[in-house]
Amino acid sequence: MTDFAATKAMFDLPEGILYLDGNSLGPLPSAAKARVQGMMADEWGDMLITGWNKAGWMGMPMDLGNRIGKLIGAEPDSVVVGDTLSIKVYQAVASALELNPGRKVVLSDNGNFPTDLYMVEGLLRSLGPEYELRVVDPEAVTDNISEEIAVLMLTEVDYRTGRKHDMKALTELAHANGVLTVWDLAHSAGAIPVDLSRCNADFAVGCTYKYLNGGPGAPAFIYVAPPLADKARPALSGWLGHEAPFAFDLGYRPGAGIERMRVGTPPVIQMTALAVAMDVWDLADMADVRAKSIELTELFIREVEAACPELELASPRDAEMRGSQVSFRFADGYAAMQALIACGVIGDFRAPDIMRFGFTPLYIDEGDVSRAVDILAEVMRNRLWDKPEYKIRQRVT
Amino acid sequence: MTDFAATKAMFDLPEGILYLDGNSLGPLPSAAKARVQGMMADEWGDMLITGWNKAGWMGMPMDLGNRIGKLIGAEPDSVVVGDTLSIKVYQAVASALELNPGRKVVLSDNGNFPTDLYMVEGLLRSLGPEYELRVVDPEAVTDNISEEIAVLMLTEVDYRTGRKHDMKALTELAHANGVLTVWDLAHSAGAIPVDLSRCNADFAVGCTYKYLNGGPGAPAFIYVAPPLADKARPALSGWLGHEAPFAFDLGYRPGAGIERMRVGTPPVIQMTALAVAMDVWDLADMADVRAKSIELTELFIREVEAACPELELASPRDAEMRGSQVSFRFADGYAAMQALIACGVIGDFRAPDIMRFGFTPLYIDEGDVSRAVDILAEVMRNRLWDKPEYKIRQRVT
């Protein structure tokens, strides 16, 4: 059984703040400061260029990939860390398209995070006018999977509402139609159990600064199913994905398996912070995290609906249908969220009217949830965002 | 006049090491440890998600771009930081090709760093079989510039030999033939004076972990000439290059000017270290750095040639024709370099036979150069790499 009091003690959480935005940026693991300081002094400072080998920097993208892989049901050596999520989406979709020649349509939904759509828009423009990005409502995805589609690209958990797609069922349907899948796990990795291997997912990508707590701008990750890994062409064919990066050949030869998805020099300082964040996960069981997350979100929904009748639940009511966040719609949501933040409860706002709250059992407990609801209720009851007192509070916070 | 004793004092340089590999990875600026520690505790730790605005994280790619821009003769707001050099090469060449429709050939040379060639190889494969990457000898570049060429992509300073292309003359010739230019400044930025504006360069890219001392995996930068910036299509069209990233529109609209070359969430911890490294440059005048670099390289060549007759100069003898490094050819170069490193002089080796030494006046002085040559001479004279003592030394170093 995961000891959540122990994991909570592993984070620096600022006094007087209730943080329900770990789905945007996870908090600071306490040990990260000293570890990064040590890496800078003892590795960068003392080893200089030799740190790439002596300190193991060159192997960090694979090491971290394997640690993340355990949380998402990936096979050993099928995940590598690097770049940003946008870049990894580009690589995954470009490779998937090339593995499915003859088909020209990428299917996605309008609940996908926009950068995924933007990156594919740019990719398809490079590939030529015969390619199409088809964006449908989330509920219409199933009906639009057909033998015309090359790639199905979906974010498993909707960034606004937390609605969760059924990865296993959709992947099966996709495969039955000869469609390859690219799953974005931005709001899944560390949030809900994911089993890429059991779902037969083809490609997956994700970021590490949300539920994984890797820090602002921590690198992304990419998964390629082992049977595809040696066939996938890395459209972004950088030297660290080369079979022999230090041979300095003039022509590109992709490296073995997932290593070919490496591109350029990886961010060692960021990866050091991420490694500390992954240490916390060594103490957590993902099934426990999910069970606790459901308790926290159910409690939050129940208490908010009792105390704040103005707020309309935007997330699925059925816990099985959502990720680890809860969103409410409210016309003055932006102003209300600013007031709430000024009162010490940090959630966030997503246009046009979504107040979004993330639940992260590693460092949020029932007491935090109830206290957050009390403050939210006070903000709503008094329409604090309209009051001069709010402006005073905002200044001193 | 730049006070190089003062700039040297701003770095943590390990006791007993002579570091002639700052052209691979610059050393640790002393202030970086505390600054990164402070950023982690006071910004990530205390501000959490609000750090993106409160701590100015979102503006760092442009702030750092402008600071780097001053060292390379870029106009204000024409440089932005992010991703890796490989990714920035891809963006620059993809944009340049699209600005020169009708032409299908990218011209480069075999002295270019391989990842630049690999990335373009991948790009052209996406664009279609009518595109060609033409790679010629460095000396043949001029003769190959013609109205058939769309883009001329060159690394200004050869990573192996330090040979320097004439950016102004080649850009002029390119423009006279209707060719757009992409300059890789990996071995130029912080090494030699660069004046992108005066040279009328179209695109430039570079990294920040070599002469700029930003740390292992520090982000890259990209320059787009202001007249092109609003026309260039960012092939890697990520959300932070969108005109309104937080509107979460489903369709991509490129941001104004260079901001469109941003892709995903930038690495805040790495950028914090880079910002400290740029503080050192505030004390340095690039003309002084160049003058001192020439003194150091001339001294090194003179002393090595006097003491090590086995080594054959691979760099241009004329200082005006090379960057801030000196390379020697030696058949046993790999083993000799290992022995030299074991004796405390860090340079590096590039296949097949290049022993490479970087000269960085911010923290290397004449005394360091002479001491390094004394040790190199001892290694060569005694063929230390063949001796058992060397193996002992290697273990204890």
Side-chain angles (χ1 to χ4, degrees):
Chain A
M1 189 63 199
T2 304
D3 179 352
F4 288 113
T7 59
K8 185 170 186 169
M10 295 173 82
F11 290 94
D12 281 4
L13 299 166
E15 203 65 40
I17 295 289
L18 295 165
Y19 193 56
L20 302 181
D21 206 12
N23 51 325
S24 274
L25 175 68
L28 172 66
S30 311
K33 296 187 301 289
R35 189 90 72 85
V36 167
Q37 178 99 344
M39 175 264 145
M40 291 177 71
D42 304 337
E43 300 181 10
W44 178 12
D46 282 352
M47 298 181 190
L48 295 158
I49 189 70
T50 68
W52 285 106
N53 296 315
K54 273 194 207 165
W57 298 343
M58 200 50 90
M60 290 178 83
M62 285 297 294
D63 295 344
L64 288 166
N66 276 321
R67 298 183 75 181
I68 293 166
K70 286 183 193 160
L71 296 181
I72 55 175
E75 299 85 350
D77 294 338
S78 63
V79 176
V80 72
V81 157
D83 304 298
T84 63
L85 179 50
S86 299
I87 294 294
K88 287 330 199 189
V89 165
Y90 193 91
Q91 284 187 296
V93 176
S95 296
L97 279 171
E98 196 155 314
L99 289 170
N100 212 350
R103 299 190 185 194
K104 308 295 179 194
V105 181
V106 177
L107 178 65
S108 190
D109 73 37
N110 54 33
N112 208 337
F113 191 71
T115 203
D116 295 31
L117 304 176
Y118 302 160
M119 292 303 290
V120 172
E121 192 184 321
L123 169 65
L124 299 191
R125 187 157 154 197
S126 291
L127 292 175
E130 67 276 26
Y131 285 85
E132 181 196 341
L133 170 61
R134 191 171 297 169
V135 180
V136 301
D137 288 337
E139 301 73 23
V141 167
T142 301
D143 287 347
N144 278 276
I145 295 174
S146 71
E147 295 188 354
E148 190 194 3
I149 307 298
V151 178
L152 174 64
M153 170 185 72
L154 294 173
T155 295
E156 187 187 18
V157 175
D158 187 302
Y159 75 104
R160 294 162 313 178
T161 65
R163 175 204 38 75
K164 190 163 77 72
H165 275 306
D166 185 334
M167 184 188 290
K168 187 155 197 321
L170 285 168
T171 301
E172 266 174 29
L173 182 63
H175 288 174
N177 284 273
V179 176
L180 289 172
T181 54
V182 175
W183 288 98
D184 180 339
L185 305 179
H187 294 270
S188 303
I192 59 173
V194 176
D195 196 337
L196 292 173
S197 178
R198 196 182 60 89
C199 290
N200 289 311
D202 303 298
F203 293 83
V205 296
C207 66
T208 65
Y209 49 75
K210 296 178 182 290
Y211 292 93
L212 299 182
N213 313 307
F221 64 84
I222 185 168
Y223 162 87
V224 182
L228 300 179
D230 281 328
K231 299 181 208 159
R233 177 177 81 96
L236 301 172
S237 39
W239 71 307
L240 291 186
H242 193 281
E243 191 180 26
F246 292 92
F248 301 106
D249 294 333
L250 293 180
Y252 183 73
R253 294 192 314 276
I258 192 69
E259 294 244 27
R260 65 180 57 187
M261 291 298 170
R262 296 178 68 161
V263 184
T265 305
V268 178
I269 310 180
Q270 299 278 164
M271 291 192 300
T272 302
L274 173 57
V276 178
M278 294 310 297
D279 291 346
V280 181
W281 286 103
D282 288 345
L283 276 67
D285 179 88
M286 202 63 226
D288 296 341
V289 170
R290 177 60 169 166
K292 181 85 167 187
S293 155
I294 290 177
E295 281 175 32
L296 297 177
T297 53
E298 304 271 72
L299 174 66
F300 186 73
I301 292 172
R302 199 163 58 240
E303 294 199 348
V304 170
E305 291 193 325
C308 310
E310 311 87 330
L311 300 184
E312 180 202 346
L313 184 65
S315 299
R317 192 167 293 279
D318 177 358
E320 295 303 320
M321 303 297 288
R322 63 173 188 257
S324 198
Q325 68 173 75
V326 172
S327 300
F328 286 93
R329 292 189 195 284
F330 180 56
D332 282 333
Y334 179 79
M337 183 55 78
Q338 295 310 305
L340 185 63
I341 292 171
C343 295
V345 178
I346 301 184
D348 64 16
F349 174 81
R350 286 294 176 257
D353 61 354
I354 295 272
M355 296 175 73
R356 186 174 78 157
F357 303 90
F359 296 86
T360 48
L362 292 190
Y363 54 87
I364 293 293
D365 58 29
E366 289 83 352
D368 296 325
V369 171
S370 292
R371 277 189 293 279
V373 176
D374 289 346
I375 295 169
L376 173 61
E378 194 199 327
V379 167
M380 296 302 299
R381 197 163 45 239
N382 299 313
R383 294 185 62 86
L384 221 56
W385 58 93
D386 286 339
K387 306 251 164 130
E389 303 94 276
Y390 156 68
K391 287 177 184 97
I392 292 161
R393 294 181 88 144
Q394 193 173 35
R395 270 204 301 275
V396 299
T397 298
Chain B
M1 190 63 196
T2 305
D3 178 353
F4 289 112
T7 59
K8 185 170 186 168
M10 295 173 84
F11 290 94
D12 280 7
L13 299 167
E15 205 64 41
I17 295 289
L18 294 165
Y19 193 56
L20 302 182
D21 205 12
N23 51 325
S24 273
L25 175 68
L28 173 66
S30 311
K33 294 188 301 289
R35 188 88 73 86
V36 167
Q37 177 100 344
M39 175 264 145
M40 291 178 71
D42 304 337
E43 300 180 10
W44 178 11
D46 283 351
M47 297 181 190
L48 296 158
I49 189 67
T50 67
W52 284 106
N53 295 315
K54 272 194 206 163
W57 298 343
M58 200 48 91
M60 291 177 82
M62 285 296 294
D63 295 344
L64 288 166
N66 276 320
R67 297 183 74 180
I68 294 165
K70 286 183 191 160
L71 296 181
I72 55 175
E75 300 84 350
D77 294 338
S78 63
V79 176
V80 72
V81 157
D83 304 297
T84 63
L85 180 49
S86 298
I87 295 293
K88 288 329 199 190
V89 165
Y90 193 91
Q91 284 188 297
V93 175
S95 296
L97 279 171
E98 196 157 313
L99 289 169
N100 212 350
R103 299 189 185 194
K104 309 294 180 194
V105 182
V106 177
L107 177 64
S108 190
D109 73 38
N110 54 33
N112 208 338
F113 190 72
T115 203
D116 295 30
L117 304 176
Y118 302 160
M119 292 302 291
V120 172
E121 191 183 322
L123 168 66
L124 299 191
R125 187 158 154 196
S126 291
L127 292 175
E130 67 275 27
Y131 285 86
E132 182 197 340
L133 171 59
R134 192 171 296 168
V135 179
V136 301
D137 288 338
E139 301 72 23
V141 167
T142 300
D143 287 348
N144 278 276
I145 294 174
S146 71
E147 295 189 351
E148 191 194 1
I149 308 297
V151 177
L152 174 65
M153 171 184 71
L154 294 173
T155 295
E156 188 187 17
V157 176
D158 187 302
Y159 74 104
R160 296 162 311 178
T161 64
R163 174 204 40 74
K164 189 163 77 72
H165 275 307
D166 185 334
M167 183 187 292
K168 188 155 197 317
L170 285 168
T171 302
E172 265 174 31
L173 182 62
H175 288 175
N177 284 273
V179 177
L180 288 172
T181 54
V182 174
W183 287 98
D184 181 339
L185 305 178
H187 294 270
S188 303
I192 58 173
V194 176
D195 196 337
L196 292 173
S197 178
R198 197 183 59 90
C199 289
N200 288 310
D202 302 298
F203 293 84
V205 295
C207 66
T208 64
Y209 49 74
K210 295 176 183 291
Y211 293 92
L212 298 182
N213 313 307
F221 64 84
I222 184 168
Y223 163 86
V224 183
L228 301 178
D230 282 328
K231 296 181 211 160
R233 176 176 82 96
L236 301 172
S237 40
W239 70 307
L240 291 186
H242 192 282
E243 190 180 26
F246 292 93
F248 300 106
D249 294 334
L250 294 180
Y252 183 73
R253 295 193 312 277
I258 191 71
E259 293 246 25
R260 65 181 56 188
M261 292 298 169
R262 296 178 67 161
V263 184
T265 304
V268 177
I269 310 180
Q270 299 277 165
M271 291 192 299
T272 301
L274 174 56
V276 177
M278 294 309 298
D279 290 347
V280 181
W281 286 102
D282 288 344
L283 275 68
D285 180 89
M286 202 62 226
D288 295 341
V289 171
R290 177 61 168 165
K292 181 85 166 188
S293 154
I294 290 177
E295 281 175 32
L296 297 176
T297 53
E298 304 272 74
L299 174 65
F300 185 73
I301 292 171
R302 199 164 57 240
E303 295 198 348
V304 171
E305 292 193 325
C308 311
E310 312 87 333
L311 300 183
E312 180 202 346
L313 184 65
S315 300
R317 192 168 293 280
D318 177 356
E320 295 302 320
M321 303 297 288
R322 63 173 189 257
S324 197
Q325 68 174 75
V326 172
S327 300
F328 286 92
R329 292 188 196 283
F330 181 57
D332 282 331
Y334 179 80
M337 182 56 77
Q338 295 309 306
L340 185 63
I341 292 171
C343 295
V345 178
I346 302 184
D348 64 16
F349 175 80
R350 286 293 175 259
D353 61 355
I354 295 273
M355 298 175 72
R356 187 174 78 157
F357 303 91
F359 296 86
T360 48
L362 292 189
Y363 54 87
I364 293 294
D365 59 29
E366 288 83 350
D368 297 325
V369 170
S370 292
R371 277 188 294 277
V373 176
D374 288 347
I375 296 170
L376 173 61
E378 194 198 326
V379 167
M380 297 302 299
R381 195 165 44 241
N382 300 314
R383 292 185 63 86
L384 222 55
W385 58 95
D386 285 339
K387 306 251 164 130
E389 304 95 277
Y390 156 68
K391 288 180 183 94
I392 292 162
R393 295 181 86 147
Q394 193 171 35
R395 270 205 300 277
V396 300
T397 297

